[in-house]
Amino acid sequence: MPEIATALDDGQSRSFVLLPTDYLISRLVPDGWSLDNISCERQPSWRYNSGVDPDRGDNVTCTFNNVQAVINVCPANDPGVGNERTDIIGIGMGDTRRAKKVAKLTIPYAMTLTALYGQGRRQAGRGLIKYLRFIYPNKTYVNIQPETSLGNYGAVSWWGSDLDIDNLTRPYVKARWYIQGQVGSQTPAASVHHVPDLPDPRKEYALPFEVFDGADNWVADPGTLGFSTTQTFTLEIPETQGVTDVNGQLALVDNDRDTRGCGST
């Protein structure tokens, strides 16, 4: 079987005048790439087996499709590396005029989750909290009492728990505050955040997920009860084996009734 070799770059082509005999089409793939497929078209029509057998006067065009190999930059055998990626989603439970006791959060990919964490935030004000209840679609629930973290000067409290994904018979969870005494217009003024872990067998991720303590993550205007205007948090991530983008997500919650916005840069 005759052998003809040529070097091609992306989008390049070469033409040859060949004798009518059998030819085997192959490709030497450069480092960092893998051969996805080879497709050959013949004019006029022809029979294709494992190679190409052109007759006199035939034109055969073969196209090589290569894909860049996925290089895993996550360190091997690290317990913090896996196929689950974490997203933060949330829903507000009030506005500048009034608060509501119940919030329903739709959870994307609920049937493929590997873990779910729920959290509510309450502003200090009138009324005492009996508990925060996360209610599943099948009417079962989990009660959280007391708060899992308390902010500076008791101005805000966090209520969080791991949730049972087996109870997600439908793709949502409700969070409901049970309050003693007068509710008031600013209570509970809360937000609920859920962190779903979504499996992706094609990729590996390093997930340094952390819930910060309420006493360490409060900021306010200068001079407000001695609060700081900035906070710095440090998360350790596994050292990568190559250059990659690092994506960070942070849940922010506004604690005031005023119209000042809450955001990040």
Side-chain angles (χ1 to χ4, degrees), residues 164-225:
D164 189 351
I165 59 176
D166 292 335
N167 287 327
L168 293 181
T169 54
R170 299 181 67 185
Y172 69 85
V173 170
K174 291 182 179 179
R176 178 172 181 178
W177 295 94
Y178 287 81
I179 304 172
Q180 295 176 339
Q182 178 66 35
V183 175
S185 61
Q186 299 183 62
T187 305
S191 178
V192 180
H193 302 278
H194 298 269
V195 184
D197 285 343
L198 308 175
D200 188 343
R202 301 167 299 175
K203 299 179 181 179
E204 287 187 340
Y205 302 89
L207 300 176
F209 169 69
E210 183 174 342
V211 178
F212 299 112
D213 187 82
D216 298 327
N217 62 9
W218 175 275
V219 294
D221 289 339
T224 305
L225 296 178

Side-chain angles (χ1 to χ4, degrees), residues 93 100-103 117-122 128-135 141-148 157-161 163 173-180 188 190-194:
M93 293 188 68
K100 51 186 177 182
K101 294 182 181 179
V102 183
Y117 182 85
Q119 187 179 77
R121 191 274 303 169
R122 174 186 179 259
L128 300 175
I129 298 295
K130 293 182 180 179
Y131 43 77
L132 172 62
R133 173 176 292 181
F134 286 103
I135 307 171
Y141 55 84
V142 56
N143 288 339
I144 304 173
Q145 172 67 329
E147 67 272 4
T148 54
S157 56
W158 277 259
W159 309 64
S161 173
L163 302 181
V173 170
K174 291 182 179 179
R176 178 172 181 178
W177 295 94
Y178 287 81
I179 304 172
Q180 295 176 339
S191 178
V192 180
H193 302 278
H194 298 269

Side-chain angles (χ1 to χ4, degrees), residues 100-116:
K100 51 186 177 182
K101 294 182 181 179
V102 183
K104 178 180 178 181
L105 182 66
T106 300
I107 302 173
Y109 314 109
M111 298 301 105
T112 60
L113 298 184
T114 60
L116 183 64

Side-chain angles (χ1 to χ4, degrees), residues 20-31:
T21 184
D22 291 340
Y23 292 91
L24 181 63
I25 307 299
S26 63
R27 172 71 188 270
L28 180 62
V29 183
D31 292 339

